């Protein structure tokens, strides 16, 4: 016990002094690599929602209205604000105010608390923005200086839309006058798309605070495309950081023109394009954008676009030469993607090029094929920059033999890979066995996802050896939805592997309810024991104080197992050990008191302070004082010595 208490005391001192063991530090929450979702809801509504005038009539009206909206009225001199220059408004963390009568009044007062508003035009909500007279109330947006994020939505069909066209235009004119908005999101159009971009032209030209622009699920025609390109050309080339476009019905030329219009935006960091087009012209334009020496693009999402082998080759060649792009996502469209193994072989070469700066790559739900998988593995063997790779759900295009080849070729002692997602593939036990040495070579790997694969229980028992390896630093390991392959033997194997593991915090095994799976109380007891071996104080101290999660729901787990998992969640293994010792070894305050009484006097004061530090050990201290008052009362010690001397004299006289 002295060794355990001493170790905890030393570790606790280091923790409180800021020298925490790496295994005791918190881990940032990691999410699965998934496709970027638009904030805008899809709708099948027609784009024509009211009567509009000609381009020239709009242009004149807009310019006259724009002249009335002086920048000074909004506390902005027209220059780009230096405040929060790099702040990302793609997903605002501030509270979104649903537009209602109270919010309208607050915005009219220019209330600084209303920084993010969602304006909905629909026939469902009690308060409908359609009913607002925007010619009269538009100043609540147009002259507002605190509004930073505005989301515009149209849901369902609104009665009398043709008569409402003028009111919709008045709303957009109000937005056009604003100079404080940094994040503008529009889902579904209230009027013709071309008219909308024409009216908003002063907003793009004069609002130098705009950082993020998002348009979702709009059906684009040639006129709308031309006016969007014009709006983008008017926008300051130093302001925009994030753009998300989701368009339907866009032709190849229009898609290329939109991409070309982005070339002037040198400070653009994040770009998401879903253009519903399979032409090569806009792929070439995109490649040229990436090759632009002035480009600072860091994240590119091309999910659900219809690329072919030529497009994949063009992108791969551009990535090989681009030195700013860090994150790329091309989640496959199951009905449209036509990239075959030939295209993926060409694309994969960018990972082998030392000039490539890619750190995150998401190619899930694509037909990679055996040849493509082998090409990616060969590139990974020499890559030292990629940190995240998602090859999940390859639609069984990679065979079990293909995965064996992949793992055999991808071994890289200099790999920077931290997260590997291989969910929903055809890996199998042989692939799992070949994966083991490959993963051991990846000394930076922290997150591994193998859900929904074709493993068997014996295969997982062998694979559990990964957690025993001294170079393993996995923090999160997922094995859910693999059928009922998790058995007692598998759980016990993982428990034994975890005995000396100090890094794994999440071992996600799915449903561990004994009623539904092959795990009984024996398997759960093995997990509970590795987290808190109650055979002695030393064994408790030597237990696993790192693992925090093992399944989706803990409601069916034994109480002692749940308690140990919860104690581990404070991310301080020394405190976890202390609480477990107090809870399981001194729970009655008397039974194991002898452990303290037999302790060396030099250690005992520190142990007493350690036990009673926050009051949890008071019952034990009380019993300790009653049993050994001489340790705490000098008079008691004198009396005890006097009584001993008196007995000695009596004995001598006799």
């Amino acid at each position: 016990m002295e060794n355990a208490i001493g170790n905890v005391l030393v570790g606790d001192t280091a923790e409180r002094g800021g020298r925490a063991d790496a295994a005791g530090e918190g881990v940032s929450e990691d999410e699965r690599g998934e496709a970027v979702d638009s904030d805008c809801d899809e709708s099948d509504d027609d784009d024509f929602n009211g009567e509009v005038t000609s381009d020239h009539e709009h242009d004149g009206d807009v310019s006259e209205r724009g002249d009335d909206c002086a920048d000074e009225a909004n506390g902005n001199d027209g220059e780009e604000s230096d405040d929060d220059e790099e702040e990302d408004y793609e997903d605002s963390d501030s509270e979104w105010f649903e537009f209602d009568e109270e919010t309208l009044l607050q915005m009219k007062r220019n209330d600084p608390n209303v920084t993010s508003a969602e304006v909905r035009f629909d026939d469902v909500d009690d308060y409908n923005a359609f009913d607002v007279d925007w010619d009269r109330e538009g100043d609540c947006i147009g002259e507002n200086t605190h509004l930073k994020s505005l989301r515009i939505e149209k849901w369902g069909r609104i009665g009398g839309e043709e008569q409402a066209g003028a009111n919709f235009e008045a709303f957009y004119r109000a937005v056009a006058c604003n100079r404080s908005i940094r994040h503008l999101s529009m889902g579904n159009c209230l009027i013709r798309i071309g008219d909308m971009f024409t009216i908003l032209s002063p907003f793009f030209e004069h609002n130098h605070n705009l950082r993020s622009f998002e348009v979702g699920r709009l059906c684009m025609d040639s006129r709308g495309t031309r006016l969007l390109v014009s709006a983008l050309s008017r926008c300051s080339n130093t302001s925009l950081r994030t753009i998300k476009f989701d368009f339907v019905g866009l032709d190849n030329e229009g898609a290329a023109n939109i991409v070309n219009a982005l070339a002037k935006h040198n400070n653009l960091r994040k770009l998401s394009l879903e253009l519903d087009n399979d032409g090569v012209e806009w792929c070439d334009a995109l490649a040229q954008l990436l090759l632009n020496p002035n480009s600072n693009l860091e994240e590119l999402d091309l999910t659900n676009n219809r690329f072919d082998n030529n497009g994949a080759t063009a992108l791969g060649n551009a990535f090989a030469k681009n030195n700013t792009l860090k994150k790329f996502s091309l989640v496959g469209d199951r009905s449209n993607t036509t990239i075959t193994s030939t295209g993926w072989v060409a694309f994969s070469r960018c990972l082998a090029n030392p000039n490539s700066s890619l750190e995150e790559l998401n190619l899930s739900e694509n037909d990679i094929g055996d040849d493509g998988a082998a090409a990616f593995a060969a590139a990974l063997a020499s890559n030292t920059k990629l940190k995240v790779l998602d090859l999940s759900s390859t639609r069984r295009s990679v065979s079990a033999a293909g995965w064996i080849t992949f793992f055999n070729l991808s071994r890289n002692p200099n790999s920077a890979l931290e997260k590997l997602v291989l969910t929903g593939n055809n890996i199998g036990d042989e692939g799992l066995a070949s994966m083991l040495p490959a993963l051991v070579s990846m000394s930076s790997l922290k997150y591994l996802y193998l859900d929904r694969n074709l493993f068997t229980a014996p295969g997982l028992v062998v694979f559990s050896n990964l957690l025993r390896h001294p170079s393993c630093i996995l923090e999160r390991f997922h094995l859910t939805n693999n059928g009922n392959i998790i058995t007692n033997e598998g759980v016990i194997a993982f428990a034994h592997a975890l005995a000396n593991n100090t890094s794994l915090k999440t071992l996600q095994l799915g449903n561990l309810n004994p009623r539904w799976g092959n795990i009984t109380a024996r398997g759960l007891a093995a997990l509970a024991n590795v987290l808190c071996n109650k055979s002695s104080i030393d064994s408790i101290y030597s237990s696993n104080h790192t693992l925090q999660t093992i399944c989706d729901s803990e409601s069916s787990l034994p109480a002692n197992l749940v308690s140990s998992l919860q104690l581990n969640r404070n991310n301080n293994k020394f405190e976890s050990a202390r609480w477990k010792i107090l809870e399981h070894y001194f729970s009655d305050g008397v039974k194991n008191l002898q452990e303290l009484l037999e302790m060396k006097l030099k250690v005992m004061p520190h142990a007493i302070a350690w036990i009673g530090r926050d009051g949890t050990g008071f019952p034990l201290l009380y019993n300790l004082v009653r049993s050994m008052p001489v340790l705490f009362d000098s008079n008691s010690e004198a009396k005890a010595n006097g009584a001993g001397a008196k007995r000695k004299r009596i004995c001598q006289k006799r």
Side-chain angles (χ1 to χ4, degrees), residues 397-410:
S397 65
V398 183
S399 65
W403 285 116
I404 293 174
T405 301
F406 176 86
F407 295 122
N408 287 336
L409 293 177
S410 61

Side-chain angles (χ1 to χ4, degrees), residues 8 53 80 92 117 128 150 169 185 352 356 404 486 508 519 543 546 625:
V8 174
T53 53
E80 183 177 344
S92 176
N128 187 357
L150 179 63
E169 293 176 17
S185 172
S356 173
I404 293 174
I486 307 295
Q508 185 57 265
I519 301 174
S543 298
T546 307
V625 172

Side-chain angles (χ1 to χ4, degrees), residues 308-591:
D308 58 12
N309 289 340
N310 292 328
T313 302
L315 290 175
N317 292 337
F319 291 163
K321 300 176 182 179
N322 180 286
N323 59 8
T324 64
L325 193 69
K326 299 183 183 303
K327 183 177 181 179
F328 176 62
S329 179
L330 178 55
V331 178
D333 183 329
R334 293 186 179 277
S335 61
N336 293 322
T337 300
T338 58
I339 304 176
T340 66
S341 291
T342 301
W344 291 121
V345 169
F347 177 88
S348 68
R349 296 191 185 106
C350 69
L351 296 178
N353 192 308
N355 294 323
S356 173
S357 56
L358 276 179
E359 295 181 358
E360 298 185 30
L361 181 60
N362 183 357
L363 300 177
S364 59
E365 299 188 20
N366 280 289
D367 290 330
I368 303 295
D370 284 357
D371 291 341
F376 275 111
L380 289 174
S382 61
N383 185 285
T384 59
K385 295 178 182 177
L386 195 68
K387 296 180 179 180
V388 178
L389 176 61
D390 189 340
L391 293 179
S392 59
S393 301
T394 58
R395 311 182 206 175
R396 306 290 176 89
S397 65
V398 183
S399 65
W403 285 116
I404 293 174
T405 301
F406 176 86
F407 295 122
N408 287 336
L409 293 177
S410 61
R411 300 178 190 182
N412 181 1
N414 298 315
S415 170
L417 204 62
E418 297 179 0
K419 178 180 177 181
L420 180 59
V421 185
L422 298 174
T423 298
N425 285 305
N426 190 30
I427 296 177
D429 283 355
E430 292 185 6
L432 201 59
S434 64
M435 187 192 305
L436 192 57
L439 297 181
V440 167
S441 74
M442 299 175 184
S443 58
S444 298
L445 193 66
K446 295 181 180 180
Y447 311 105
L448 178 61
Y449 298 86
L450 297 177
D451 312 271
R452 294 189 288 112
N453 274 286
L454 303 177
F455 308 136
T456 66
L460 289 181
V461 171
V462 174
F463 190 73
S464 66
N465 290 321
L466 173 65
L467 301 179
R468 300 175 185 267
H469 200 278
S471 67
C472 176
I473 61 169
L474 276 182
E475 296 180 6
R476 183 185 295 267
F477 183 22
H478 280 233
L479 276 170
T480 62
N481 297 321
N482 280 294
N484 291 327
I485 65 168
I486 307 295
T487 63
N488 280 336
E489 287 66 29
V491 169
I492 292 172
F494 277 115
H496 290 164
L498 287 168
N500 296 313
N501 184 288
T502 59
S503 64
L504 194 68
K505 294 191 174 185
T506 298
L507 175 61
Q508 185 57 265
L509 299 176
N511 188 352
L512 295 185
N513 190 327
R515 295 182 178 180
W516 305 106
N518 297 324
I519 301 174
T520 67
R522 183 168 68 92
L524 297 178
L527 283 173
N529 188 65
V530 77
L531 296 181
C532 186
N533 184 341
K534 295 181 285 186
S535 59
S536 70
I537 289 180
D538 281 323
S539 64
I540 293 179
Y541 175 75
S542 300
S543 298
N544 183 301
H545 307 303
T546 307
L547 189 67
Q548 302 174 3
T549 302
I550 60 173
C551 60
D552 299 322
S553 172
E554 297 178 350
S555 59
S556 60
L557 300 181
N560 61 333
L561 177 54
V562 173
S563 175
S564 294
L565 291 170
Q566 292 173 345
L567 288 175
N568 285 358
R569 287 172 191 157
N570 69 15
N571 289 319
N572 182 329
K573 68 178 184 179
F574 304 110
E575 274 299 296
S576 297
R578 174 176 175 268
W579 276 88
K580 290 176 186 178
I581 290 172
L582 288 175
E583 179 178 333
H584 298 289
Y585 210 78
F586 294 116
S587 58
D588 59 8
V590 177
K591 178 180 178 181

